[in-house]
């Protein structure tokens, strides 16, 4: 009987393969594997270069050549050293960045960095107001429009539309100047304190990302949204791009930072996998 069942199973596999084409060119499970591959991958990361936008008091990206060219052995070889601050370009803010005794970069669970995500588009308001504060109502409006609450453990991405100005510092940051004096000249949208508190108290999200230099708006002096969200071990992704290519929901995010032990932040390669 066991042998009969095995034979019957094998025949069913062969018949199924024949139904979908030449069985000699099919591998059992092949069609299922193909269907599981996302039809589109969207890169949400700005490249790192001498144009990368950093906080006005942070060390900018530098790439030094160790060797580039043909060696005396005849083969081509290139190698470089890079130096940079943790916080600049597309990067991760680890909770310890603004919350004592919270997770550092290497301690952030991968479950917080990889998973289902939603996009909330506030560009209609933010593009007309460089100091726009994303409100609790922006989140509630998204829920109403999409007939759902923010799912538990979701990654939330906020589209302000300001990534279109990157890497023009004057347009993106509000100033091209650097140093402490330039901090007062920063103008870009961020999350209001009320909205940050609402996310913590009323919703249970895994991470939050934005297409501006900071989840706090440019004129913030106390970085309260950082304190609130990172204080609950909710990491933040900053300086994202290409959010306009994403739907409101129905996609996955993979956000993998350089694993810096004890780091408060790190360069980030983040992508979205579209399911439909």
């Amino acid at each position: 009987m066991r042998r009969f069942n095995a034979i019957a199973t094998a025949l069913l596999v062969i018949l199924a393969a024949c139904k979908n084409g030449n069985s000699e060119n099919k591998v059992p499970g092949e069609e299922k594997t193909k269907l599981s591959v996302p039809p589109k991958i969207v890169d949400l990361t700005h490249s790192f270069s001498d144009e990368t936008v950093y906080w006005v008091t942070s060390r900018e990206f530098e790439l030094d050549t160790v060797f580039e060219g043909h060696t005396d052995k005849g083969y081509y070889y290139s190698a470089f050293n890079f130096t940079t601050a943790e916080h600049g370009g597309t990067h991760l803010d680890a909770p310890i960045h603004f919350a004592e005794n919270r997770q550092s970069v290497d301690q952030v669970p991968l479950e917080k960095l990889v998973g289902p995500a939603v996009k909330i588009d506030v560009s209609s308001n933010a593009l007309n107001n460089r100091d726009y504060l994303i409100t609790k109502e922006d989140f509630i409006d998204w829920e109403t429009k999409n007939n759902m609450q923010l799912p538990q453990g979701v990654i939330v991405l906020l589209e302000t539309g300001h990534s279109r100005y990157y890497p023009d510092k004057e347009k993106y940051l509000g100033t091209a100047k650097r140093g402490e004096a330039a901090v007062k000249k920063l103008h870009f949208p961020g999350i209001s304190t009320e909205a940050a508190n609402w996310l913590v108290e009323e919703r249970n999200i895994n991470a939050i990302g934005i297409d501006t230099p900071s989840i706090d708006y440019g004129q913030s002096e106390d970085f309260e949204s950082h304190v609130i969200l990172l204080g609950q071990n909710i990491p933040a992704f900053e300086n994202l791009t290409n959010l306009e290519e994403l739907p409101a929901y129905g996609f996955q995010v993979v956000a993998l930072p350089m694993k810096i032990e004890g780091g408060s932040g790190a360069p980030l390669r983040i992508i979205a996998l579209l399911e439909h």
Side-chain angles (χ1 to χ4, degrees):
M1 180 62 75
R2 187 176 299 170
R3 185 181 177 189
F4 174 83
N5 289 338
I7 293 172
T9 301
L11 285 172
L12 287 172
V13 170
I14 293 170
L15 286 171
C18 290
K19 251 181 145 180
N20 295 304
N22 189 343
S23 61
E24 292 180 359
N25 298 322
K26 298 288 183 178
V27 177
E30 183 180 23
E31 290 301 316
K32 184 177 179 180
T33 301
K34 286 184 178 179
L35 288 173
S36 69
V37 176
K40 186 174 182 181
I41 301 175
V42 180
D43 192 350
L44 307 181
T45 316
H46 289 291
S47 297
F48 284 84
S49 71
D50 57 5
E51 290 188 320
T52 299
V53 176
Y54 280 80
W55 199 252
V56 292
T57 56
S58 295
R59 182 172 183 172
E60 296 182 291
F61 185 87
E62 295 179 25
L63 192 69
D64 298 321
T65 302
V66 177
F67 187 90
E68 185 176 20
H70 286 87
T71 70
D72 55 5
K73 302 293 185 182
Y75 59 84
Y76 176 83
Y77 175 75
S78 64
F80 307 89
N81 291 328
F82 70 86
T83 55
T84 185
E86 293 175 317
H87 301 276
T90 304
H91 70 281
L92 169 83
D93 276 2
I96 200 173
H97 185 37
F98 273 89
E100 189 176 9
N101 297 322
R102 297 301 191 271
Q103 295 162 347
S104 57
V105 173
D106 57 306
Q107 295 171 333
V108 176
L110 290 176
E111 291 78 10
K112 291 286 187 77
L113 307 176
V114 178
V118 301
K119 182 195 75 172
I120 298 175
D121 184 358
V122 298
S123 59
S124 59
N125 291 321
L127 283 173
N128 296 321
N129 181 0
R130 295 186 61 87
D131 297 319
Y132 184 70
L133 286 169
I134 299 168
T135 66
K136 176 181 73 173
E137 284 69 32
D138 287 320
F139 292 99
I140 294 174
D141 287 346
W142 182 94
E143 292 185 336
T144 301
K145 181 178 179 180
N146 292 285
N147 196 30
M148 70 169 80
Q149 282 194 357
L150 291 176
Q152 183 171 336
V154 76
I155 295 171
V156 176
L157 303 183
L158 301 169
E159 180 189 356
T160 70
H162 279 252
S163 65
R164 68 184 62 184
Y165 303 131
Y166 194 100
D168 186 323
K169 295 176 182 177
E170 189 74 40
K171 293 180 178 179
Y172 187 67
L173 287 169
T175 180
K177 299 184 181 300
R178 292 189 56 75
E180 289 292 344
V183 173
K184 297 288 186 181
K185 301 179 182 296
L186 296 173
H187 291 277
F188 50 80
I191 306 168
S192 69
T193 300
E194 179 193 32
N197 275 317
W198 181 82
L199 286 171
V200 167
E201 295 168 2
E202 303 295 334
R203 299 294 182 266
N204 181 19
I205 67 172
N206 270 356
I208 194 157
I210 195 168
D211 58 353
T212 71
S214 172
I215 57 172
D216 276 286
Y217 83 128
Q219 287 294 290
S220 176
E221 295 183 357
D222 54 15
F223 298 94
E224 192 62 24
S225 291
H226 272 89
V227 172
I228 293 166
L229 292 163
L230 273 58
Q232 297 299 315
N233 276 327
I234 298 172
F237 316 136
E238 296 172 332
N239 293 314
L240 302 183
T241 189
N242 295 328
L243 296 186
E244 70 279 0
E245 297 185 29
L246 303 180
Y249 60 89
F251 62 96
Q252 304 276 324
V253 157
V254 179
L256 300 180
M258 181 185 294
K259 193 175 180 180
I260 301 174
E261 186 172 344
S264 72
L268 177 69
R269 187 64 183 269
I270 177 172
I271 62 172
L273 308 177
L274 274 64
E275 297 175 1
H276 304 292

